[in-house]
Amino acid sequence: MASSELREELSCSICLNVYTDPVNLRCGHNFCRDCITLVLDKQRGSGAYSCPDCRETSKKRPPLQKNIALSNITRRLKSNQARQGPFGVTCTYCVNTPVPAVKSCVLCEASLCDDHLKVHSKAGEHVLSEPSTNMERRKCTVHKKILEYYCTEDSTCICVSCCLVGEHKGHKVETLGDMSKKKKEKLKDIIEKLSSKSKETEEEIKNLQEHESRVTDKATDATEKLNLLFTDVKKQFEVLQKSVLRNLSWKLQLVSSSVFQLTNQLEIRRAQLAFKINYLEEMCNMSDPLPVLQVPDSEDIFHTGVGDQEDVYVGDLNVQSILENVQSRIHDTIKNVNVWIFMENPTDLLLDVNTNATNIRVSEDQRTLSLSEMVQNLQETPQRFKEYQVLSTKSFSSGRHYWEMETSKTGEWRIGVCYPSMDRKGTESYIGNNDKSWSLSKLIHPAVVHDHQVDKLRTHIQSQKYGIYLDYDGGQLSFYELGDHIKHLHTFTTTFTEPLQPAFYVSNSFVDLIYDSKSEVWIRIGNKVK
């Protein structure tokens, strides 16, 4: 009985269940936070707020004060109930052996097992509920009668006396069953909304996890590439260090050798000069005038032809020149590192089929150009080249851009950029053969070409893959070989005055024509050459 009384004291008078997050009003009555919040929300437009238990009213919405002590007690009670399991309530009439109860009668205040439930009264006043040790919570606290109705105005469960003669007289009421059905419908709607939000939340979590996975993959890939990059840079600096120190050592040995040789020569000269001085001093000390007068007046007496040169030159060590060379090579290495950032996301280019010459074939995906064996029947356009060339569909008038391509081993090719206003006919239209285009070309020797000026590259090219880096605003166009290491080939520095379009040229070389080569000449552009 003590347990029943305890549960009654710990039950909310609105939902009739053990308190969940209990709070109290200024009058001292306790309720579940959600229960009293719903009641106060419904009273908002009535002009006054009242306590469901004592009916104390206030014009302002009463504040809710958390009852910490009651919250701790109810938490422990629920914990004990959870440990009791589904058979915590036993049949009241099975006194010899505890038998789990399946129902409780509110009128009889007794719990019933299956056997006793069969012989229990079926009268309407014998209301059955889920097994419970606290039957008092099913009764009105004022009239001690069974709670059968629900006052919609005050949002509380009431008995028949509350409806007829109590505080809820004249209020709109419904049976608990009907109100429970309506409440369940509302709860289903809430469940649907919460389920939808739950799915959205799950989708957001999934998207975040996928995003994290993508970022992780990118970070892993970037880490590998950065490690390779720094390893490569470290090797380049080590090679540079060894080369510079070796050159410095060689120059020092050269100077030391020169100093040694010249020192020997000067020692011989010093000995000759000492001999001459001694001889002349002897002549000056002679009393006989004849030998004295026979001595020549010139300093070249007893000339031997050895070590008599007056000017002595030893090569110097030009430290400034060495430092400038090192600085230049470091600058090129750092430039390669800067370009690497753009190499990770190269510009995706397509060939403009309105510009390719009739002897240039463009693939269906507009990424490969090759020399056509037969002249094609193409529509004449103002942009079309007379021979050998084609432009990209994109043009650049600002910013930094990078793209890559792969070339055939044989044939002659040129890669570069040009102004759209460049001529389209004759050899003057070849990229590099005018002041409106810049190119890297390969015939017999690799070279860079601009405004008819051909500058052969001093480096040997082994790869067929190349990258072009354009800093339009900075006025720089750089070419790179993409082999085992990124090799800087050349940089044009100028001020660009028109938009720039990537341009491509292929042709049979003179060597191919001599040997009747049938090898195809082509250039393949791509977002990232393989």
Side-chain angles (χ1 to χ4, degrees):
M1 195 64 184
S3 176
S4 175
E5 292 176 354
L6 178 61
R7 286 184 61 87
E8 181 179 354
E9 290 296 329
L10 299 177
S11 296
C12 174
S13 60
I14 298 176
C15 67
L16 306 181
N17 293 319
V18 175
Y19 292 115
T20 300
D21 191 11
V23 295
N24 54 42
L25 301 178
R26 285 180 294 187
C27 60
H29 290 104
N30 297 292
F31 306 93
C32 298
R33 182 182 292 276
D34 290 342
C35 294
I36 190 61
T37 298
L38 289 173
V39 172
L40 296 176
D41 287 344
K42 289 186 177 181
Q43 295 177 353
R44 184 180 301 162
S46 63
Y49 296 91
S50 62
C51 171
D53 283 353
C54 66
R55 313 305 298 174
E56 180 181 313
T57 60
S58 62
K59 292 183 179 181
K60 294 185 179 180
R61 182 171 179 139
L64 303 179
Q65 183 68 35
K66 182 177 180 65
N67 193 325
I68 299 176
L70 191 58
S71 178
N72 294 335
I73 295 172
T74 54
R75 185 172 61 252
R76 291 179 182 176
L77 177 63
K78 290 179 179 180
S79 176
N80 292 333
Q81 287 178 342
R83 286 195 294 269
Q84 288 179 359
F87 307 116
V89 180
T90 59
C91 180
T92 305
Y93 302 108
C94 296
V95 294
N96 294 324
T97 303
V99 178
V102 294
K103 292 291 181 181
S104 293
C105 177
V106 179
L107 182 63
C108 302
E109 296 186 9
S111 298
L112 310 170
C113 63
D114 280 326
D115 293 336
H116 287 100
L117 182 62
K118 294 175 182 178
V119 297
H120 187 263
S121 174
K122 301 298 188 293
E125 62 270 19
H126 291 270
V127 178
L128 298 177
S129 67
E130 294 303 313
S132 174
T133 58
N134 183 13
M135 295 295 105
E136 289 297 323
R137 71 185 185 87
R138 304 285 303 192
K139 294 182 179 181
C140 176
T141 57
V142 179
H143 305 100
K144 303 302 180 182
K145 291 185 178 181
I146 298 173
L147 298 173
E148 301 179 82
Y149 302 97
Y150 185 82
C151 177
T152 59
E153 295 183 16
D154 295 329
S155 301
T156 186
C157 298
I158 59 177
C159 67
V160 64
S161 297
C162 292
C163 297
L164 299 177
V165 297
E167 296 178 352
H168 300 275
K169 181 179 178 180
H171 289 186
K172 183 179 179 180
V173 298
E174 294 189 31
T175 64
L176 292 182
D178 291 341
M179 195 61 196
S180 176
K181 291 179 181 179
K182 293 181 180 180
K183 185 66 174 288
K184 288 179 180 179
E185 292 298 322
K186 291 182 180 179
L187 293 177
K188 289 179 181 178
D189 292 338
I190 294 175
I191 289 173
E192 289 182 4
K193 293 179 181 179
L194 293 178
S195 297
S196 177
K197 290 183 179 180
S198 178
K199 290 181 180 179
E200 292 176 359
T201 304
E202 289 178 2
E203 189 66 25
E204 290 177 357
I205 292 173
K206 181 181 178 182
N207 292 337
L208 285 173
Q209 291 174 341
E210 291 176 352
H211 176 70
E212 181 187 19
S213 178
R214 288 193 298 269
V215 172
T216 301
D217 292 340
K218 286 183 178 180
T220 302
D221 184 55
T223 300
E224 294 177 358
K225 291 180 179 178
L226 285 171
N227 285 334
L228 291 174
L229 177 65
F230 285 121
T231 300
D232 182 56
V233 170
K234 182 179 178 181
K235 288 181 179 178
Q236 292 184 44
F237 280 131
E238 288 176 350
V239 171
L240 175 60
Q241 180 185 17
K242 291 179 180 178
S243 174
V244 172
L245 293 178
R246 185 168 56 248
N247 186 39
L248 183 63
S249 176
W250 177 79
K251 288 185 177 181
L252 177 60
Q253 291 179 5
L254 186 63
V255 171
S256 298
S257 177
S258 298
V259 169
F260 177 76
Q261 293 177 6
L262 292 174
T263 300
N264 288 338
Q265 293 179 10
L266 292 174
E267 289 289 347
I268 293 173
R269 181 190 298 180
R270 184 174 63 179
Q272 291 176 345
L273 292 173
F275 175 79
K276 292 178 181 181
I277 292 171
N278 290 334
Y279 173 75
L280 292 176
E281 287 178 347
E282 289 179 359
M283 292 295 104
C284 290
N285 293 327
M286 278 190 174
S287 58
D288 187 358
L290 183 60
V292 174
L293 294 175
Q294 292 177 345
V295 176
D297 294 336
S298 172
E299 296 180 6
D300 295 331
I301 59 173
F302 307 114
H303 176 67
T304 61
V306 179
D308 287 340
Q309 62 271 25
E310 296 296 335
D311 296 329
V312 177
Y313 173 76
V314 178
D316 197 1
L317 190 63
N318 191 340
V319 177
Q320 183 64 28
S321 175
I322 295 174
L323 293 177
E324 288 177 357
N325 178 262
V326 171
Q327 185 178 16
S328 176
R329 294 178 64 176
I330 290 176
H331 176 73
D332 289 341
T333 302
I334 294 175
K335 183 187 293 183
N336 290 348
V337 174
N338 292 334
V339 173
W340 177 84
I341 298 173
F342 292 89
M343 288 182 175
E344 288 305 290
N345 294 290
T347 302
D348 193 14
L349 298 181
L350 294 177
L351 299 173
D352 188 353
V353 294
N354 293 316
T355 64
N356 67 290
T358 55
N359 62 347
I360 293 297
R361 184 172 63 251
V362 175
S363 62
E364 290 185 4
D365 63 359
Q366 296 178 247
R367 295 181 185 277
T368 303
L369 67 144
S370 56
L371 193 62
S372 177
E373 296 180 359
M374 298 179 61
V375 176
Q376 305 169 91
N377 185 19
L378 301 177
Q379 180 182 1
E380 286 286 342
T381 64
Q383 298 82 22
R384 192 175 302 284
F385 285 99
K386 185 66 176 177
E387 54 188 8
Y388 301 126
Q389 294 189 133
V390 63
L391 299 181
S392 164
T393 57
K394 288 187 176 180
S395 64
F396 309 112
S397 57
S398 64
R400 299 176 180 179
H401 309 275
Y402 172 83
W403 59 96
E404 296 179 352
M405 63 232 71
E406 185 175 3
T407 66
S408 58
K409 288 184 178 180
T410 59
E412 179 183 355
W413 52 258
R414 297 188 183 192
I415 54 178
V417 296
C418 70
Y419 292 151
S421 61
M422 185 180 72
D423 289 338
R424 303 302 167 105
K425 296 180 181 180
T427 58
E428 292 292 324
S429 69
Y430 298 168
I431 52 175
N433 284 8
N434 50 71
D435 62 355
K436 296 185 177 183
S437 60
W438 298 258
S439 74
L440 169 68
S441 72
K442 177 260 177 182
L443 183 54
I444 298 176
H445 300 287
V448 288
V449 189
H450 171 63
D451 198 12
H452 289 290
Q453 183 176 344
V454 179
D455 294 323
K456 292 183 180 180
L457 297 181
R458 297 180 180 179
T459 182
H460 178 64
I461 294 181
Q462 297 178 329
S463 176
Q464 294 173 241
K465 299 175 183 178
Y466 302 90
I468 298 179
Y469 172 69
L470 169 65
D471 182 357
Y472 189 96
D473 301 313
Q476 289 191 332
L477 177 71
S478 301
F479 297 90
Y480 294 87
E481 179 188 6
L482 307 180
D484 295 334
H485 303 286
I486 302 171
K487 182 192 292 184
H488 175 246
L489 300 177
H490 184 78
T491 294
F492 288 107
T493 301
T494 185
T495 299
F496 300 117
T497 58
E498 296 183 37
L500 290 172
Q501 282 185 270
F504 309 91
Y505 167 104
V506 291
S507 173
N508 279 322
S509 68
F510 180 72
V511 176
D512 294 329
L513 294 175
I514 291 177
Y515 293 99
D516 192 26
S517 174
K518 300 297 182 181
S519 300
E520 188 175 19
V521 185
W522 52 268
I523 296 176
R524 173 79 177 174
I525 62 175
N527 187 39
K528 192 75 175 173
V529 296
K530 304 299 181 183

